[in-house]
Amino acid sequence: MRLYGLKNCDTCRKALKALPEADFLDVRGDGVPDDVLKEALERFGTALVNKRSTTWRGLDAADRDKPPLAQLKAHPSLMKRPLIVEGTEMYLGWTKTTQEALGVP
């Protein structure tokens, strides 16, 4: 299991604490492999881009108009977090649904 997030993100820390067996990858330092990012975009669409983040608010109109893949590659912290990959399954966010699917009480 891999957990993509930010090391200073409280939600990512909660997820990692509940999933100690997960390999944590910081999206700023480690990045997200292209194949994982493309698959996540296919599954989650524009929900993968966190438009409520401070990073989004700091983008100019030209950056906001770019395709989501280009936005996420240029600004990894735009990704909604955490992105959890377990085998062929992917989960976005640390919601009750995600926690139940992963067997977290």
Side-chain angles (χ1 to χ4, degrees):
M1 178 184 299
R2 292 189 169 202
L3 191 152
Y4 297 93
L6 292 172
K7 62 184 173 187
N8 60 346
C9 170
D10 289 338
T11 304
C12 293
R13 281 189 252 178
K14 288 176 191 175
L16 194 56
K17 184 176 179 181
L19 303 167
E21 73 282 2
D23 292 327
F24 179 78
L25 293 125
D26 189 294
V27 297
R28 280 191 188 128
D30 303 317
V32 181
D34 285 347
D35 58 330
V36 172
L37 199 54
K38 288 176 184 174
E39 177 69 23
L41 269 170
E42 286 178 23
R43 290 187 189 207
F44 305 113
T46 57
L48 190 61
V49 178
N50 183 359
K51 294 185 177 180
R52 297 184 331 178
S53 70
T54 55
T55 303
W56 177 262
R57 290 190 295 258
L59 294 180
D60 59 27
D63 282 335
R64 288 184 181 192
D65 289 339
K66 289 181 181 176
L69 184 60
Q71 291 173 340
L72 293 167
K73 290 188 85 47
H75 307 281
S77 60
L78 273 177
M79 187 179 80
K80 182 165 175 58
R81 306 173 295 273
L83 173 64
I84 301 167
V85 179
E86 183 180 36
T88 60
E89 296 297 319
M90 286 187 164
Y91 307 94
L92 185 62
W94 191 238
T95 64
K96 288 285 184 197
T97 304
T98 298
Q99 293 171 33
E100 288 171 4
L102 294 171
V104 176

